[in-house]
Amino acid sequence: LAQVSHFELMSSLATNVGLVVSHVGVVAVGLWYLNKRLKASSLRTLKVVVGTTNQCKVAAVQAAIQRYPDLAGASVVAVKVPSGVADQPKTMEETQLGARNRAQAAVKEIDGDVGLGIESGLFELSGAWYDVCFVALYNKAEGTLRYGLSCAFEIPPPAMERVRAGRDLTQACNDIGITDNPQLGEAGGLIGILSDGRVTRQAYTEQALESAFMPYRKSRWYG
């Protein structure tokens, strides 16, 4: 009887050990699969599509995202898309609309996670005209739009007279002798000339980008 009981006890113990080993194996496989999925997710590169091929604006995007560890690994793709507004916007609303149209068109043209629209435009305040850069950031997954602005600077009145007559800002600056560069918007910009290089067009574009990154990266505070 003692021998039978001992045999049964050993059999029961072996069965339980087998079950434990089996469960441990299932858990191990599950953890391996989860870890694999998490690694794959972390290795996925954020794709940012910029709605312009303007070299200055694209350089601003590449420089700005490098300041944020969570964005620094993003791939940046530039694509030419229409703004849907005048070549020289003359109100804040028109400039914002141009940026929004570019951001949304960019991710339609090239599939990406984030669309960036960058639009510079003019607005009038207390009799003077100012230039400002608007950035629209479209989060495709959430379907949300966030905006950022740069500093604004006053346009010299002689240049503004020509803009009102139908010239764009670069042409106006060429006309009155501020610069002979026909690609002013691809270089340091009017702001670079007026500030003696202390604030460049790329720098003021980066200001608008970083302003747009704030609600995008801290979305929990913006609802």
Side-chain angles (χ1 to χ4, degrees), residues 16-37:
N16 289 333
V17 169
L19 289 173
V20 170
V21 171
S22 177
H23 285 307
V24 169
V26 170
V27 172
V29 171
L31 289 174
W32 171 82
Y33 179 74
L34 178 60
N35 186 53
K36 184 178 180 181
R37 289 291 299 275

Side-chain angles (χ1 to χ4, degrees), residues 129-146:
W129 284 84
Y130 297 84
D131 182 291
V132 69
C133 179
F134 243 109
V135 165
L137 187 155
Y138 178 62
N139 185 330
K140 185 178 178 181
E142 297 180 0
T144 56
L145 276 160
R146 301 295 187 182

